[in-house]
Amino acid sequence: MSSKVQVYLFAFILIFIGIGLTIYKNSVLEFPLLPGERKALWTVEAKIEFQAKDEPVIVSFALPHNPPKMTVLDEDFTSSGYGFGWDNNAQQRRAQWATRKATGRQVLYYKLQVYEGAHHQQEIEATPPPEPSPPELESAQKTAINNLVNFVYQRSASPSTFAAELMRLINEPRPMEDIALLLGNKNTSSRKVKVALDTLAQAKISARIARGLFLEDGRRNQKLTTLIEVFENDHWVIFDPLTAERGIPDHFVLWQRGGKSLMDVEGGENSSVSFSIIESTQPANSRTLVEKANAKAALVDFSIYSLPIEQQNIFKSILLVPIGALIVVLMRVVVGFRTSGTFMPILIAIAFIETSLVTGLVIFLIIVSIGLFIRYYLSHLNLLLVARISAVIIVVIGIMAGMSILSYKLGFSQVMKVTFFPMIILAWTIERMSILWEEEGPKEVFIQGGGSLLVATMAYLSMTNTYIEHLTFNFPELLLALLGGILILGQYTGYRLTELRRFQPLAED
């Protein structure tokens, strides 16, 4: 296999890996491709109120556990004077507050932060629940519910289709006679839920109540919405008992699944719970980092994000250097610009990032101009190369110090950032330009100096682009693709764009 084939094969492998990891982080780990992308974060506050009876109090409250379509980011429990724990005796997730003695009105708070768009699936039950026992009803109601079961059974094929048809019939404007008898005079949502559960139990279909909350910004004193879950095969299927629609509604957090009660209060009376909701926005990247770090995702746990913030800021600048390198390769190999030093424009571009473009250009021109004059004088002293370069470095440092002091006295704070310029590179640039002046003349000096500044400016504009900054820091895997592209450019042996002007007379002929 020839070296050229090896280069192309290696380059395409790097490009494939870099782009593949980027797509994975975006689609699976949900890292945003666009900078500044924000996503909704919902804060739900449950307010528990009751009257204590001057005796020990125990409050048990159902909490959401891995709600489908939602991810819990944070939760907080506020309970002045109460101890907090978990009710481990219950099959569901429940919080427990307790105090030795309380009197009067008591208020407890539970705050939950969730966001939508996670990939949590509805929980799977490995074993079926116990077979439901038929409800205890009067003879007329029992006859009506048996008739209803037989009627719906003929119009369904599975527990889920049975439940859907049953709820559709219950919610008709003019329900059939048996349903009207079961509903009685209380044609309320709670009564419809009870009739549906009793009918499902009579049909020996396992069902349970699920409670949840619609997420609407600015809502106060909200109550939970009741849904019905029906067991089919190895999982639970959720239905809205008032619309017979299957599945979890949009913008809905499932708070409680199963269980006899939402809240139990021992030692208190007149208990109630209400919910308030507010929507805020959060940077999508920050939210993803918290979630995936907690989940121990490998691309997050072993990455730049695991470093201290100080080191992350350093790498945020370092990761931009390959972008400057790509600009240099394109401008020198493809376009044909001549620069003073191969990668000197990248270092100058980094200095421009700290000083701003215009200020950096002015500082660079002043330092190089003064340095060339001093270097011209040193050339008459017949110094050795090492001593001459050392002298130029000291002169450059002196110029930088003088510019900083003068700018401080004049109130130009931007010029004080002259210290970000690489003094060694500036000294070598002055030395190279001085030799080039003596050997090739001032024209070549202006060509290479102007090319260096132009390439540095283009690198600066690319490295300060918000989109590029976002991609290089959040998707450093793209550097593999960048490396592959540079390897391919390294095989280019055709004419440079600036060389095509030599063939212009041929085109005119």
Side-chain angles (χ1 to χ4, degrees), residues 61-81:
F61 183 59
L63 302 180
H65 179 63
N66 290 336
K69 296 184 179 181
M70 296 283 173
T71 294
V72 176
L73 184 64
D74 191 21
E75 56 184 348
D76 182 46
F77 305 87
T78 304
S79 51
S80 178

Side-chain angles (χ1 to χ4, degrees), residues 421-451:
F421 275 86
M423 61 192 71
I424 305 297
I425 298 300
L426 286 175
W428 269 108
T429 300
I430 293 170
E431 176 67 19
R432 287 170 60 90
M433 286 186 175
S434 179
I435 296 174
L436 190 63
W437 190 301
E438 295 173 356
E439 296 179 352
E440 302 290 341
K443 180 180 178 181
E444 188 65 23
V445 172
F446 284 112
I447 289 176
Q448 291 194 18

Side-chain angles (χ1 to χ4, degrees), residues 180-238:
L181 176 63
L182 293 171
L183 290 175
N185 297 326
K186 299 179 180 179
N187 193 9
T188 61
S189 59
S190 58
R191 183 63 183 175
K192 290 179 179 179
V193 170
K194 186 179 186 310
V195 170
L197 291 174
D198 289 345
T199 306
L200 291 169
Q202 186 67 26
K204 297 183 179 180
I205 296 176
S206 297
R208 66 185 185 187
I209 287 179
R211 298 182 177 93
L213 200 62
F214 282 98
L215 298 177
E216 299 178 22
D217 186 30
R219 306 294 292 180
R220 300 177 59 190
N221 299 323
Q222 297 298 294
K223 301 297 182 182
L224 294 181
T225 300
T226 301
L227 304 178
I228 292 179
E229 287 188 287
V230 176
F231 191 82
E232 183 176 49
N233 297 329
D234 60 347
H235 64 281
W236 292 94
V237 182
I238 295 180

Side-chain angles (χ1 to χ4, degrees), residues 4 8 333 488-496 499:
K4 188 173 184 179
Y8 278 106
V333 175
I488 293 175
L489 288 174
Q491 292 291 312
Y492 179 74
T493 56
Y495 288 108
R496 295 173 174 85
E499 294 175 337

